[in-house]
């Protein structure tokens, strides 16, 4: 999920909702996945009630919070660097308090307080409602920590304060935690067991966003397709639910349908789908509703059956192909994107070739590709040696990235001389005379502004492209 965040947004916090009576200033920044960005909006909402307005100026903050990522070692190093920066500011403004939120807080717990003297506050992903109490402790001069994971916290009752917003697209979180236990992944340890949010509160949020002018939502979860609401509680306890609870349970395809029907003009996206949980039902629901976008992010990590097994991904390469064939049959215009890991323990050259040949079969529209980073406490770290040398991991990653670039180019070129629907999101980074937006397939398109404005859905004739971006001209408003 990581790079789905536009990198220019990392760190920034532009906020619309402020309270004039609030006197304290919160500087909050987020790293890592979309869920972290979404969580920071919940934290900002909790602290708005506690007297904090957000600021974009670090130097004037009373409280600095950093929402952190542990997915790879590099992500943690980025946060450590930010802490150094805060330290420099704290020398000028000694009253400033610093808190670490999110996955690093959960992974390192009180070690963070010992290792990083600047940190006053450590709060895990399920403990944000405790922030007011924890801040009171900090104000009394004590370090404060809450890293308890929860069985039922979904923050469904909190209306997020939208940060970094363009007023057009917003995240709506629907599940928390993950039960999949992929052997390389730290998320099940930092975000706990999987639980789903009440569909009613999801629909209320979607309706509220529409009434505020938003045009696109992304339903968020580590593993959205395993969404299951049966009245609350952990996904793994569903077996123990009553017959009535089972009969009235809402799964992901049902939730998608509820959202699509509630706001038929709202564009609906979702992320992320684990192949083992994406059902035909979901694909068919996507086909039934035009406002559900034509894109599936379907991380596979490796094309080798042996490696998939070592990763505890519960599907084979052949089953993945079958899923891809079903998507292509039911949703012929759907784009598909990937996440890949090169150099997982024991990966051989033949395994790597399997990854490349899988990519050849799918020809993804785009992808997010990483070298394996061993994470403390994961099953892979405990049971396997990180035995692929760094330079081999990097070379294999290069192969994967090169091949993806070729495929992206083929996919992007296929849109030349066609008309696509684009939701205008922002000014193009390259020119203040052009708009930038995305197609239903999640491909970026840029075109001259003409008389159109942010939030408009327009038909764009595609006349040119780079490997990742469509270039064209808007011809009129799209009717949806
Ligand atoms: N299901 C999640 C996956 C979160 S992690 C989601 O919603 O996206 C995002 C991606 O990071 C994974 O798909 C995987 O490709 C990569 N990743 C996770 N752990 C990693 C590790 N230890 N080393 C390298 N990449 C990793
Ligand atoms: Fe991680 Fe696998 Fe869950 S990648 S977030 S354990 S689906």
């Amino acid at each position: 999920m990581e790079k789905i965040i536009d990198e220019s947004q990392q760190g920034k916090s532009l906020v619309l909702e402020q309270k004039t009576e609030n006197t304290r200033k919160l500087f909050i920044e987020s790293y890592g996945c979309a869920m972290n960005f979404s969580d920071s909006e919940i934290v900002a909402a909790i602290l708005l009630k506690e007297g904090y307005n957000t600021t974009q100026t670090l130097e004037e903050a009373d409280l600095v919070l950093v929402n952190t990522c542990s997915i790879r070692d590099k992500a943690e190093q980025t946060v450590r660097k930010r802490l150094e920066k805060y330290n420099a500011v704290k020398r000028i403004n000694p009253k400033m308090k610093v808190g670490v939120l999110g996955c690093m807080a959960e992974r390192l717990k009180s070690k963070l307080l010992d290792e990083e003297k600047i940190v006053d506050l450590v709060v895990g992903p399920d403990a944000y409602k405790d922030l007011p109490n924890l801040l009171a402790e900090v104000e009394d001069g004590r370090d404060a920590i809450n890293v308890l994971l929860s069985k039922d916290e979904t923050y469904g009752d909190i209306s997020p304060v939208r940060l970094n917003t363009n007023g057009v697209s917003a995240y709506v979180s629907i599940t928390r935690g993950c039960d999949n236990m992929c052997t390389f992944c730290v998320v099940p340890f930092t975000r706990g067991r999987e639980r789903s949010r009440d569909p009613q509160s999801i629909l209320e949020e979607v309706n509220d966003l529409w009434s505020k002018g938003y045009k696109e939502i992304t339903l968020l979860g580590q593993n959205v397709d395993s969404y299951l609401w049966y009245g609350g509680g952990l996904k793994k306890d569903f077996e123990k639910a009553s017959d009535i609870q089972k009969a009235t349970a809402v799964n992901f395809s049902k939730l998608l349908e509820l959202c699509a029907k509630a706001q038929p003009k709202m564009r609906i996206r979702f992320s992320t789908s684990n192949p083992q949980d994406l059902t035909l039902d979901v694909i068919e629901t996507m086909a039934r509703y035009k406002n559900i976008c034509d894109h599936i992010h379907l991380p596979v990590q490796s094309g080798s059956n042996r490696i998939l097994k070592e990763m505890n991904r519960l599907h084979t390469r052949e089953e993945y192909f079958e899923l891809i064939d079903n998507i292509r049959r039911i949703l012929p215009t759907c784009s598909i994107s990937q996440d890949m890991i090169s150099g997982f323990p024991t990966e051989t050259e033949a395994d790597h070739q399997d990854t490349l040949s899988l990519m050849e079969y799918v020809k993804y529209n785009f992808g997010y590709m990483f070298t394996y980073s061993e994470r403390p406490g994961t099953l892979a770290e405990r049971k396997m040696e990180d035995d692929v040398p760094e330079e081999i991991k990097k070379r294999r990653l290069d192969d994967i990235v090169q091949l993806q670039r070729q495929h992206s180019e083929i996919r992007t070129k296929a849109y030349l001389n066609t008309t696509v629907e684009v939701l205008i999101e922002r000014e193009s980074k390259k020119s203040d005379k052009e708009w930038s937006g995305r197609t239903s397939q999640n491909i970026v398109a840029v075109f001259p502004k003409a008389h159109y404005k942010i939030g408009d859905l327009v038909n764009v004739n595609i006349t040119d492209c780079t490997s990742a971006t469509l270039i064209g001209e808007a011809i009129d408003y799209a009717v949806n």
Side-chain angles (χ1 to χ4, degrees), residues 178-182 184-188 222-223 274 301 313:
C178 186
D179 288 347
N180 276 344
M181 291 309 232
C182 303
F184 53 80
C185 185
V186 77
V187 169
Q222 300 302 334
N223 185 19
N274 187 315
Q301 322 296 359
R313 305 285 288 187

Side-chain angles (χ1 to χ4, degrees), residues 1-4 297 337-340 366-370:
M1 244 164 12
E2 206 159 358
K3 295 234 183 85
I4 291 171
H297 186 54
S337 53
Q338 45 86 350
D339 288 350
M340 292 286 186
F366 57 94
Y368 306 101
M369 296 147 281
F370 317 96

Side-chain angles (χ1 to χ4, degrees), residues 131-311:
L131 268 166
N133 302 325
L134 296 166
L135 282 171
E137 278 185 48
V138 169
E139 259 157 39
D140 285 348
R142 292 189 297 273
D143 285 346
I145 178 163
N146 186 343
V147 288
L148 289 176
L149 289 172
S150 158
K151 278 186 178 174
D152 43 25
E153 184 60 84
T154 61
Y155 302 111
D157 54 335
I158 293 180
S159 171
V161 162
R162 303 289 162 187
L163 302 166
N164 310 310
T165 183
N166 55 9
V168 177
S169 42
Y171 293 125
V172 175
S173 88
I174 65 163
T175 70
R176 298 185 72 82
C178 186
D179 288 347
N180 276 344
M181 291 309 232
C182 303
T183 56
F184 53 80
C185 185
V186 77
V187 169
F189 302 93
T190 58
R191 287 187 167 272
R193 297 282 66 77
E194 192 180 312
R195 65 221 98 116
S196 297
R197 177 177 166 193
D198 184 344
Q200 209 47 48
S201 86
I202 296 172
L203 288 173
E204 277 162 23
E205 187 171 339
V206 173
N207 290 335
D208 181 56
L209 284 165
W210 180 258
S211 74
K212 290 181 172 142
Y214 286 82
K215 299 286 179 344
E216 181 183 279
I217 54 158
T218 304
L219 303 176
L220 273 190
Q222 300 302 334
N223 185 19
V224 279
D225 299 83
S226 107
Y227 175 90
L228 188 62
W229 172 259
Y230 60 97
L234 295 179
K235 164 94 185 227
K236 69 180 176 60
D237 293 335
F238 179 62
E239 285 307 310
K240 296 184 213 149
S242 69
D243 289 346
I244 294 183
Q245 281 177 316
K246 283 185 183 158
T248 54
V250 177
N251 65 11
F252 184 59
S253 63
K254 187 78 194 140
L255 179 75
L256 255 186
E257 177 159 52
L258 288 171
C259 293
K261 274 188 176 163
Q263 289 304 335
K265 294 193 170 200
M266 182 79 107
R267 266 190 175 186
I268 296 168
R269 301 186 183 281
F270 55 90
S271 186
T272 297
S273 293
N274 187 315
Q276 73 207 36
D277 295 307
L278 177 65
T279 60
L280 271 184
D281 228 18
V282 167
I283 306 171
E284 279 159 2
T285 305
M286 291 173 74
R288 273 203 303 281
Y289 295 91
K290 185 175 178 248
N291 58 328
I292 303 177
C293 287
D294 228 3
H295 168 229
I296 302 179
H297 186 54
L298 200 59
V300 68
Q301 322 296 359
S302 168
S304 150
N305 275 334
R306 192 181 65 79
I307 295 292
L308 286 170
K309 201 156 180 216
E310 294 287 2
M311 287 176 161

